[in-house]
Amino acid sequence: MPFTSAINLSIPLLATATETADSSMVLAAVLLSLVVIYFASKLGGELSNKVGLPPVLGELVGGVLVGVSVLHLLVFPEGGTDTSNSLIMYFLQTTAGLTPEATPQVFAAQSEVISILSELGVIILLFEIGLESNLKDLMAVGIQAFVVASAGVIVPFAAGTVGLMTIFGISAIPAIFAGAALTATSIGITSKVLSEIGRLNSKEGQIILGAAVIDDILGIIVLAVVGSLAKDGVVDVGNVIYLIISASVFLIGAIVLGNVFNKSFVAIADKLKTRGELVIPAFIFAFIMAYLASVIHLEAILGAFAAGLVLEETDKRKELQKQVIPIADMLVPVFFVTVGAKTDLGVLNPAIPTNQEGLIMAIFLIIVAIIGKVVTGLTVFGQPGINRLAIGVGMIPRGEVGLIFAGVGAASGVLSKPLGAAIIMMVILTTFIAPPLLRLVFPDSDTATNLDNNLGESLAAEPPQTLITTKDD
């Protein structure tokens, strides 16, 4: 089920589970799960940051290690795992007196709570991403960035979807979902590398950054469409057209109406005097927008993203960003670690003959993910002497948005285990290879570093105001 449907169904399931489960044991299981999640996210994030990679990639890998693939500390019943595979349930049985008869109910309730926190985490993540975008800068990047971004969405999406359906015989809905996951671009790692090699202020750097911003907006619209298709289970051309139009109108309409709402929001925030006078009204608005998006059969995360775009235009933007960060720090890692924990990389083990198709599928997605972005540089026109290869390479890393696709697909149940694992491998590998490739395609980067050294120093202190750049990137 998509995230919006999962939220609707999780609450009654949780209520049913806790009716027969000991609430104190459920609380204990949830607390232990959060200890595992936060430890894995912090350890993975710190190690990833030390080697110059996005911390979210470390959080994902940390989730893989504590999840069903390795340690079985954080497992979920929807993956076919039972209580005998959960080390947290075993720990409660040996230390807290949890009986074997009560364990299944506690396990189900604990899993529901963590899943809900994960879903709330991705909603807050998209709200934070919207807050960090800048519509004025986006409109200033010009037609070049828009063309590159459009190619970066269309080429990998079409190649991935058609390839999965024709080569591997994957049905339409999961193939479309996997193809959509190939459209994302993470700007965080690219902007960091460009800054380090002194190319952030070059023509190539500006086109890459602008295209990545537009690319992620288009990707989020695509996600809203394919997420809605997963609810219906069929591909109807009329429904697809409706979803594309409704997602675009919703996003544009929210931005336009936001110009009217901005003044009212600031006025309300100024009149409130108790704690949370700014961040609580902001979250009320974000959750209302998320609800409205789900009502018109879109993904709730699109509404949260639109809310962030609206509030980014207010005078309270910087203050609101600072107040949202600690809340995101608490909930967003739950999403990334949970995505990793639910990913069974064992289905890609080549030693098992039945897994070979899944491994080949992962290799196919990785190739399409790389080539599908590299060719975007060829769409640049009217720029003699520009490094088109560098532009394409700069669009390769998937990062956060790619993981959002994987998470939504896993929650919807539309992705098989091999296909879900293949998407995760694609996100990890494209993020790993992008930095060295980007340095390679700028052979004179050492002499270019001084050209925008001051800009690089400012970015080291504060990341650029772009769609996917967060404080951890």
Side-chain angles (χ1 to χ4, degrees), residues 6-27:
I7 292 174
N8 293 335
L9 293 177
S10 292
I11 295 175
L13 285 174
L14 177 60
T16 302
T18 52
E19 284 177 4
T20 55
D22 185 342
S23 59
S24 63
M25 288 295 176
V26 174
L27 177 61

Side-chain angles (χ1 to χ4, degrees), residues 127-153:
F127 177 58
E128 185 181 30
I129 288 172
L131 277 176
E132 292 177 350
S133 66
N134 190 304
L135 289 175
K136 291 184 177 65
D137 290 347
L138 177 61
M139 295 172 65
V141 296
I143 190 65
Q144 293 280 9
F146 181 80
V147 171
V148 171
S150 299
V153 170

